[in-house]
Amino acid sequence: MKTKILQALRQDSQAYVSGQQLCEQFGVSRTAVWKAIKQLQEAGYEIEAVRNRGYRLLAVPDILSQSEIASQLHTRWLGKNICYFEEVDSTNTAAKRIAEDSGFANTAAKRIAEEGGSADWHGTVVVAEEQTAGKGRRGRFWSSPRGTGLFFSILLKPQIEPGNASMLTLVKGMATVKGIAQVTGLNPQIKWPNDVVLNGKKIVGILTEMSAQVDYVNHIVVGTGINVHQADFPQEIAKTATSLKLELQKAGRNVQLSRAELLGAVLTYFERYYEIYLQTQDLSALQEEYNSMLVNIGKGVRVLDPLGEYEGTALGIDNRGQLLVDRGKEICEVSSGEVSVRGIYGYV
Ligand code: BTN
């Protein structure tokens, strides 16, 4: 009910929606509407109630709740099961638990089913306000304090070859760039393979984990951490990390950041790009657009290959997501699992 009322009030933020209209639209009593409005106000929504006119949404704080997320979701199938935690170890690990729980019976999953969600976990999105054991790539820790960022994981069961799964990380990078641009008006880019950067600093990290047999995918979890409200960063990453808030301030822009809106936008783009990727199980239809988002393109890069570092010029990705690096005498295909890439003079 809260989600539906929020959606109705959002349709026109200037207009009043009468209590009677809400009752008729949702087939509930006036008391039920009033109770839902009260709960929303208690959660921090500024809703004006005027006798004989109705309700009007004045301001929405950056709330990440089940109903706020659901009211910002415009996908066809992705995120129809939202599993929201105030606190969790890691959204990637929680998503994995849902997939591995044979009866789909852990508490969170059960709750989804009770709230009318599907019992099929493909497309479930796990979101947390805070992660106590957030995971980064290469076994690193991903700092995830309450209220700072958007931490979420998408749980998928695609019918693809396990060897094609790593490209989903690049697909997620593209969706994140588009979602951030839509909601903030900023112009983020991708640092190959899947970091999203703004003004040379990292704003997003993506970690894809898979459970598979030789020729069969059990499940894939694509986890994303977006730096949203951080005003500063620990010394070790201060030179290479930034947040949407800091970048908007630098640009002199005053945008009210809503993590739920951002999540909704990123999921819409992911659903779209994922379906394109599935048709060929590679990036042939997305390669050109990916390359247009690539911060490295045409630039000097240093390839940190364990077999020997080298430098060259990044030409863009091929249809399997490998970075093509021109070394003068030869063009090397760089795979993301084996190596990482830096700019010649720094992180980008
Ligand atoms: C990186 O090292 O760049 C990847 C960071 C990925 C962090 C996200 S936050 C949501 C999801 N849950 C995790 O534990 N990790 C990912």
Side-chain angles (χ1 to χ4, degrees):
M1 174 54 54
K2 282 186 283 178
T3 305
K4 286 181 182 163
I5 288 184
L6 272 176
Q7 276 166 339
L9 294 182
R10 274 213 170 93
Q11 270 176 4
D12 181 355
S13 58
Q14 303 298 313
Y16 289 91
V17 182
S18 78
Q20 186 60 33
Q21 188 183 326
L22 292 170
C23 295
E24 284 167 14
Q25 195 172 340
F26 305 127
V28 293
S29 66
R30 265 187 178 264
T31 319
V33 167
W34 179 79
K35 264 191 188 161
I37 294 276
K38 204 158 175 281
Q39 282 169 3
L40 288 168
Q41 286 170 329
E42 279 162 10
Y45 294 90
E46 273 184 54
I47 299 172
E48 186 187 26
V50 177
R51 193 181 277 271
N52 295 330
R53 296 188 83 176
Y55 302 103
R56 192 163 66 128
L57 190 58
L58 296 179
V60 182
D62 187 12
I63 290 171
L64 250 194
S65 63
Q66 192 95 18
S67 32
E68 178 61 23
I69 295 168
S71 76
Q72 295 277 11
L73 208 62
H74 308 289
T75 50
R76 283 184 292 106
W77 56 269
L78 181 60
K80 292 304 167 192
N81 288 331
I82 291 281
C83 187
Y84 170 74
F85 293 93
E86 281 276 328
E87 183 191 295
V88 75
D89 47 359
S90 146
T91 54
N92 268 30
T93 314
K96 193 170 157 211
R97 280 196 291 268
I98 292 175
E100 286 172 357
D101 185 341
S102 55
F104 193 65
N106 79 5
T107 335
K110 208 170 168 184
R111 194 187 68 212
I112 297 169
E114 280 164 9
E115 286 170 359
S118 159
D120 171 11
W121 50 252
H122 172 69
T124 293
V125 175
V126 180
V127 191
E129 181 67 69
E130 178 179 357
Q131 295 184 117
T132 53
K135 296 189 285 185
R137 291 175 76 203
R138 302 181 202 284
R140 293 193 200 105
F141 175 68
W142 185 264
S143 167
S144 323
R146 170 169 297 271
T148 56
L150 177 57
F151 316 116
F152 67 101
S153 301
I154 300 172
L155 175 57
L156 299 164
K157 190 177 175 57
Q159 291 182 347
I160 58 169
E161 299 280 329
N164 294 337
S166 63
M167 285 177 266
L168 281 172
T169 324
L170 280 74
V171 173
K172 188 68 210 340
M174 294 177 75
T176 312
V177 160
K178 295 289 280 189
I180 291 177
Q182 180 181 302
V183 169
T184 64
L186 292 167
N187 185 21
Q189 288 178 292
I190 298 175
K191 174 183 169 285
W192 184 87
N194 54 357
D195 283 354
V196 176
V197 296
L198 260 166
N199 297 322
K201 290 184 168 188
K202 177 164 169 170
I203 199 140
V204 176
I206 299 172
L207 174 68
T208 298
E209 299 182 278
M210 172 169 69
S211 157
Q213 290 149 38
V214 179
D215 56 352
Y216 181 78
V217 172
N218 297 323
H219 65 258
I220 295 175
V221 176
V222 189
T224 308
I226 307 181
N227 299 333
V228 181
H229 291 295
Q230 287 92 334
D232 47 37
F233 288 90
Q235 209 187 340
E236 347 46 284
I237 53 167
K239 281 205 174 111
T240 53
T242 190
S243 68
L244 293 177
K245 180 179 173 164
L246 286 171
E247 293 305 312
L248 284 166
Q249 273 170 0
K250 265 192 231 161
R253 304 261 316 285
N254 183 19
V255 175
Q256 197 82 30
L257 286 166
S258 155
R259 286 170 297 164
E261 185 188 2
L262 184 58
L263 177 63
V266 173
L267 292 180
T268 296
Y269 281 108
F270 184 78
E271 188 178 77
R272 193 179 300 168
Y273 287 135
Y274 174 78
E275 286 173 1
I276 296 173
Y277 154 85
L278 264 195
Q279 285 171 11
T280 51
Q281 288 196 33
D282 68 19
L283 301 175
S284 33
L286 296 172
Q287 182 182 350
E288 203 179 310
E289 193 174 352
Y290 181 95
N291 284 333
S292 74
M293 299 177 183
L294 197 60
V295 72
N296 314 92
I297 205 138
K299 290 201 184 136
V301 288
R302 175 184 295 275
V303 180
L304 309 180
D305 190 328
L307 300 174
E309 292 185 14
Y310 59 88
E311 290 181 2
T313 305
L315 302 177
I317 59 159
D318 63 13
N319 66 343
R320 300 205 46 81
Q322 301 181 108
L323 186 68
L324 303 175
V325 177
D326 185 352
R327 294 181 72 184
K329 288 199 179 102
E330 57 173 341
I331 293 178
C332 294
E333 294 164 348
V334 185
S335 298
S336 61
E338 305 151 23
V339 297
S340 52
V341 162
R342 298 270 175 279
I344 302 272
Y345 302 109
Y347 170 63
V348 171

